[in-house]
Amino acid sequence: MNRSRTGVVAALGAAALVATLSAPAAFAAPAPAAEQAAPAFRTSTYAPSASSAEDQAANRQFFEAVMKSALKKQAAKPGIQVVTVTYNTSRAPSFRGQISQSTQIWNSSVSNVKLQETSAGGDFQYREGNDSRGSYASTDGRGHGYIFLDYRQNQQYNSTRVTAHETGHVLGLPDHYSGPCSELMSGGGPGTSCTNAYPNAQERQRVNSIWARGIAVLKDEGALTKVR
Ligand SMILES: [Zn+2]
């Protein structure tokens, strides 16, 4: 990825990419990137609010960083059909149960990408704590990403749904707060009573397509170092 661009330009590019990939009209939310400053870390929160507009560019950056990291490690595996994405939970000890459930949900829902815990650094990390913004996925756009799980929000909302939702960003899905509870990426939109922690058929299909495309790019270029 070209690091010489400014953060704003990079964000705009990422937003445009998101728009391009967002085939269903329902997912094509207005891109807020142009109005935003460029913080060191970009975030995308679980619940919509005035101070936490959804940030599709941040989602995209996080996902791209994870995919790049995961694909690089598998350079020596020609003919791979499934990409393994590793994560570390050492900074989210209270949420190990929810994280494990989220992993089971995703691994039983999609076929082209698998989540796997590691005691090493991993492609991304889970962290826990208190943050007025609630839970979010965050990246610095340079290959470092983590999912933050907020204590209070995880008491208000179904914690497994929050965890699986944020993990959905790692796998490439954007927020869609206006969606129903049956959608995982509607996040906090349907309210605190929503306990569904499973992606719907469209979300599953979309994740499979995204990762199949990543694998295809890898094969076309013949070298993982070229994957952006
Ligand atoms: Zn979200």
Side-chain angles (χ1 to χ4, degrees):
M1 200 172 271
N2 184 355
R3 298 298 169 208
S4 65
R5 293 179 297 183
T6 66
V8 171
V9 171
L12 286 169
L17 185 54
V18 167
T20 303
L21 294 171
S22 299
F27 281 95
E35 297 163 16
Q36 296 175 341
F41 271 78
R42 303 180 64 86
T43 61
S44 178
T45 58
Y46 178 70
S49 77
S51 62
S52 64
E54 63 181 335
D55 190 337
Q56 309 287 25
N59 292 339
R60 192 73 208 170
Q61 286 181 359
F62 192 3
F63 158 69
E64 285 180 347
V66 167
M67 177 178 264
K68 186 177 177 184
S69 173
L71 287 175
K72 264 187 179 176
K73 286 183 309 181
Q74 289 161 72
K77 295 180 184 173
I80 60 164
Q81 300 295 326
V82 183
V83 181
T84 300
V85 174
T86 59
Y87 62 86
N88 185 290
T89 64
S90 61
R91 291 180 67 177
S94 312
F95 291 95
R96 287 214 168 98
Q98 292 92 327
I99 292 167
S100 176
Q101 279 184 274
S102 166
T103 296
Q104 286 175 22
I105 287 168
W106 276 112
N107 284 353
S108 65
S109 297
V110 297
S111 53
N112 288 335
V113 58
K114 291 293 173 196
L115 293 163
Q116 187 174 80
E117 185 169 7
T118 179
S119 55
D123 298 313
F124 72 100
Q125 291 82 41
Y126 289 93
R127 300 181 188 178
E128 64 181 48
N130 291 299
D131 193 309
S132 58
R133 292 171 293 180
S135 304
Y136 55 81
S138 180
T139 181
D140 64 356
R142 290 184 292 275
H144 304 105
Y146 65 93
I147 287 173
F148 182 87
L149 298 168
D150 177 64
Y151 293 134
R152 195 166 71 94
Q153 188 175 56
N154 275 278
Q155 289 174 344
Q156 293 171 326
Y157 293 85
N158 180 273
S159 189
T160 302
R161 175 174 162 87
V162 172
T163 306
H165 169 96
E166 298 301 341
T167 305
H169 289 313
V170 174
L171 300 178
L173 295 178
D175 282 314
H176 183 225
Y177 297 130
S178 61
C181 180
S182 56
E183 263 180 42
L184 184 57
M185 301 316 289
S186 56
T192 55
S193 63
C194 176
T195 61
N196 169 47
Y198 284 81
N200 68 12
Q202 188 182 22
E203 291 172 323
R204 294 172 190 217
Q205 197 273 327
R206 193 167 181 191
V207 168
N208 275 329
S209 297
I210 288 169
W211 288 86
R213 204 153 55 223
I215 295 169
V217 168
L218 166 66
K219 288 175 178 171
D220 286 348
E221 298 193 351
L224 281 159
T225 52
K226 292 178 183 174
V227 174
R228 292 177 50 173

